[in-house]
């Protein structure tokens, strides 16, 4: 191990989408920023790899809709800065059981921010999207401005612009210890650095990293299967992004597993329909042992009942990890004892679209600025006040 005397204003641990966006936002403030990752980049071991993610305004919680109001133009700005097209506007369908309380909350949240949307009954839904078969009482919210983000490209775009602005990335360099103080000392397998601030954006590895500085947070990594289903020749065009949207199906219960999906966009002829659930795993042994055949069975039930012309065996299965919190909101806060340690973790399967505003919020926390967003839902002590002190 060599010991260099790297001194930074901020060190960001984790070059997934949240850490990369944070580093990009921090360097724009003129700060000296080091972005560290344990693996050679790019990699497919965490949560930010793969070709696509859904982005949308529709959320049940008003504070997320508020964040998305800023996130959409910030994604456009990144497209301009990087010269890479990151977004396809195919719209998003949020499919639910009629009369569920979440539907009302989501509609109220959209109205509060004047976000264009439509409520669709089951017959309207099937008329508009003829590949769908929905139950009589099912409903949907149509979010016409949502769509698909090119995930791998977005991650690369943040890192590229970060480096162009003078940021430093060290990959293949795991952090082995963090010693809090007015200058935080960060040891890695290759070096030792000091920094005025540190951001923990370690995705599924955040639990042990936070515990190393006395924060015991309820973070649970789960393995999510990403399935691609072949569309038959008659239906292939109807599943393209000019005719078919991204969707979230939260009807749940019976034959309807909680799923989400995207139009054909990455692998020719293959539609992405995935479970929103999976088994608890250790991210260092992600693919080891644990039986998750139930996720394929549950997703297949939805594929069969809801989508016309799709094969009943997935052509491709990939893996990715969600890091869940009990209320599905991330931790985005400063350490209660060491305010120069900022935690951004636990994005619970919906953090990609939020990345531009997460980076902005992290930067405000580092600079001790008045927050733009409502940070209360993201507090570290919201479950067990002060138990970590
Ligand atoms: C299958 C799937 C589908 C999803 N779909 C959507 C969607 O449609 N829309 C949406 O908005 N969100 C979606 N998400 C969620 C979104 O992708 C995640 O919330 C987001 O990628 C989390 O990013 P992260 O930066 O927190 O974690 P990660 O991407 O895992 O990054 C953490 C990084 O930290 C590094 N690291 C960890 N420990 C150390 C250490 N000790 N030293 C150095 N480096 C370290 C890791 O190597 C890793 O690169 C999906 C997630 C999955 C898995």
């Amino acid at each position: 191990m060599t010991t260099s005397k790297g001194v930074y204003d901020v060190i960001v641990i984790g070059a997934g989408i949240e850490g990369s966006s944070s580093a990009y936002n921090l360097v724009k403030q003129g700060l000296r920023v080091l972005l560290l990752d344990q693996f050679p980049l790019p990699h497919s071991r965490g949560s930010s790899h793969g070709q696509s993610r859904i982005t949308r305004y529709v959320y049940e919680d008003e504070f997320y809709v508020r964040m998305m109001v800023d996130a959409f133009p910030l994604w456009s700005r990144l497209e301009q800065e990087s010269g890479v097209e990151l977004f396809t506007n195919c719209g998003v369908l949020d499919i639910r059981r009629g009369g569920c309380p979440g539907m009302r909350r989501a509609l109220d949240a959209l109205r509060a921010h004047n976000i264009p949307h439509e409520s669709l009954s089951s017959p309207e839904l099937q008329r508009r999207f003829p590949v769908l078969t929905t139950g009589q009482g099912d409903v949907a919210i149509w979010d016409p401005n949502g769509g698909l983000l090119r995930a791998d490209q977005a991650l690369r775009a943040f890192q590229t612009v970060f480096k162009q602005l003078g940021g430093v990335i060290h990959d293949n360099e795991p952090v082995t210890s963090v010693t809090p103080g007015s200058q935080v000392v960060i040891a890695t397998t290759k070096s030792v650095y000091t920094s005025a601030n540190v951001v923990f954006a370690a995705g599924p590895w955040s639990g042990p990293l936070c515990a190393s500085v006395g924060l015991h947070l309820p973070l649970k990594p789960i393995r999510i299967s990403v399935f691609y289903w072949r569309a038959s020749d008659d239906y292939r065009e109807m599943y393209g992004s000019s005719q078919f949207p991204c969707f979230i199906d939260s009807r749940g219960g019976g034959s309807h597993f909680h799923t989400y999906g995207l139009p054909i966009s990455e692998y020719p002829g293959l539609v992405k329909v995935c479970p929103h659930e999976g088994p608890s795993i250790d991210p260092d042994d992600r693919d080891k042992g644990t039986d998750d055949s139930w996720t394929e069975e549950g997703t297949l039930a939805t594929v069969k009942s809801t989508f016309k012309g799709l094969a009943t065996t997935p052509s491709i299965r990939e893996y990715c990890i969600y890091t869940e919190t009990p209320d599905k909101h991330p931790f985005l806060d400063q350490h209660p004892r060491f305010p120069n340690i900022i935690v951004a973790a636990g994005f619970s399967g919906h953090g990609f679209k939020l990345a531009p505003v997460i980076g902005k919020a992290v930067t405000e926390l580092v600079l001790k600025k008045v927050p733009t967003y409502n940070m209360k839902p993201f507090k570290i002590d919201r479950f067990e006040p002060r138990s970590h002190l």
Side-chain angles (χ1 to χ4, degrees), residues 2 24-25 38-40 64 73 77 83 100 103 144 178 207 212 214 220 232 237 261 291 300 312 323 356 366:
T2 59
Y24 154 101
N25 275 277
Q38 62 188 341
F39 299 132
Y64 286 126
R77 191 171 78 180
C100 71
M103 175 87 177
V178 176
S212 75
K220 185 172 79 163
S232 64
E237 213 180 316
D291 175 32
L300 176 61
T312 52
T323 307
V366 167

Side-chain angles (χ1 to χ4, degrees), residues 136-152:
Q136 221 176 6
D138 294 339
V139 291
I141 300 174
W142 171 236
D143 179 349
N145 293 312
L148 182 161
L149 284 169
R150 289 188 178 73
D152 286 340

Side-chain angles (χ1 to χ4, degrees), residues 14 18 37-38 43 47-48 53-54 175 204 260 320 351-353:
E18 314 301 351
D37 204 280
Q38 62 188 341
H43 71 83
S47 307
S48 302
R53 293 291 188 281
I54 299 173
V175 170
Y260 67 92
C320 187
F352 205 96
K353 69 183 84 57

Side-chain angles (χ1 to χ4, degrees), residues 9-88:
D9 296 316
V10 192
I11 291 180
V12 179
I13 303 175
I17 200 70
E18 314 301 351
S20 298
S21 169
S22 299
Y24 154 101
N25 275 277
L26 287 159
V27 85
K28 283 192 166 193
Q29 299 297 317
L31 299 169
R32 292 167 300 169
V33 185
L34 171 64
L35 177 59
L36 286 169
D37 204 280
Q38 62 188 341
F39 299 132
L41 298 175
H43 71 83
S44 54
R45 298 272 310 273
S47 307
S48 302
H49 59 281
Q51 296 175 60
S52 59
R53 293 291 188 281
I54 299 173
T55 186
R56 57 188 155 103
Y57 284 99
V58 59
Y59 257 108
E60 286 180 21
D61 297 294
E62 177 279 328
F63 51 87
Y64 286 126
V65 180
R66 167 66 191 92
M67 292 170 106
M68 290 312 300
V69 166
D70 284 2
F72 273 91
L74 289 173
W75 280 118
S76 301
R77 191 171 78 180
L78 182 63
E79 283 184 317
Q80 284 155 19
E81 291 170 343
S82 62
V84 179
E85 197 183 321
L86 302 173
F87 175 61
T88 302

Side-chain angles (χ1 to χ4, degrees), residues 34-327:
L34 171 64
L35 177 59
L36 286 169
D37 204 280
Q38 62 188 341
F39 299 132
L41 298 175
H43 71 83
S44 54
R45 298 272 310 273
S47 307
S48 302
H49 59 281
Q51 296 175 60
S52 59
R53 293 291 188 281
I54 299 173
T55 186
R56 57 188 155 103
Y57 284 99
V58 59
Y59 257 108
E60 286 180 21
D61 297 294
E62 177 279 328
F63 51 87
Y64 286 126
V65 180
R66 167 66 191 92
M67 292 170 106
M68 290 312 300
V69 166
D70 284 2
F72 273 91
L74 289 173
W75 280 118
S76 301
R77 191 171 78 180
L78 182 63
E79 283 184 317
Q80 284 155 19
E81 291 170 343
S82 62
V84 179
E85 197 183 321
L86 302 173
F87 175 61
T88 302
N89 175 213
C90 55
V92 174
L93 270 180
D94 180 341
I95 308 172
R96 293 162 181 268
R97 299 254 181 245
C100 71
M103 175 87 177
R104 171 68 33 216
R105 291 185 65 214
L107 289 170
D108 286 347
L110 290 167
R111 285 188 198 115
H113 292 281
N114 296 316
I115 306 297
H117 64 278
E118 284 177 68
S119 297
L120 301 177
S121 66
S122 185
E124 285 166 334
L125 195 53
Q126 296 181 72
R127 203 166 35 249
R128 186 97 56 106
F129 303 102
V131 294
L132 291 180
T133 306
T134 45
Q136 221 176 6
D138 294 339
V139 291
I141 300 174
W142 171 236
D143 179 349
N145 293 312
L148 182 161
L149 284 169
R150 289 188 178 73
D152 286 340
Q153 307 242 32
L155 184 62
R156 195 178 319 131
F158 273 131
Q159 292 170 2
T160 302
V161 178
F162 169 67
K163 282 192 282 188
Q164 283 165 356
L165 295 174
V168 179
I169 301 184
H170 289 182
D171 65 351
N172 200 16
E173 188 169 340
V175 170
T176 51
S177 75
V178 176
T179 309
S182 59
Q183 289 291 312
V184 187
V185 180
I186 311 247
T188 71
T189 49
K190 296 183 181 168
S191 196
V192 177
Y193 308 95
T194 56
S195 182
N197 303 276
V198 60
V199 177
F200 286 4
W205 291 267
S206 297
L209 183 64
C210 290
S212 75
V213 292
L215 279 180
H216 300 281
L217 302 178
L219 291 165
K220 185 172 79 163
I222 65 169
R223 183 174 72 206
I224 296 292
S225 294
V226 179
F227 295 120
Y228 293 86
W229 311 78
R230 186 165 299 286
S232 64
D233 290 348
D234 295 351
Y235 284 92
R236 190 163 294 188
E237 213 180 316
M238 295 165 90
Y239 280 109
S241 61
S242 59
Q243 294 187 41
F244 188 68
C246 299
F247 71 89
I248 300 157
D249 180 352
S250 46
R251 288 173 293 176
S255 63
H256 296 292
F257 210 59
H258 189 171
T259 57
Y260 67 92
L262 296 93
I264 294 171
S265 63
E266 40 217 80
Y267 303 128
L270 300 186
V271 183
K272 187 170 175 178
V273 183
C274 313
H276 197 49
E277 298 168 39
S280 187
I281 46 97
D282 172 348
D284 288 324
D285 289 315
R286 186 192 65 184
D287 302 348
K288 201 169 133 188
T290 316
D291 175 32
D292 61 359
S293 52
W294 53 277
T295 67
E296 182 173 340
E297 286 156 21
T299 309
L300 176 61
T302 300
V303 165
K304 279 182 174 169
S305 67
T306 309
F307 300 100
K308 294 178 190 145
L310 293 190
T312 52
T313 308
S315 293
I316 294 177
R317 177 189 208 138
E318 296 170 352
Y319 283 124
C320 187
I321 305 175
Y322 286 0
T323 307
E324 301 232 291
T325 64
D327 58 7

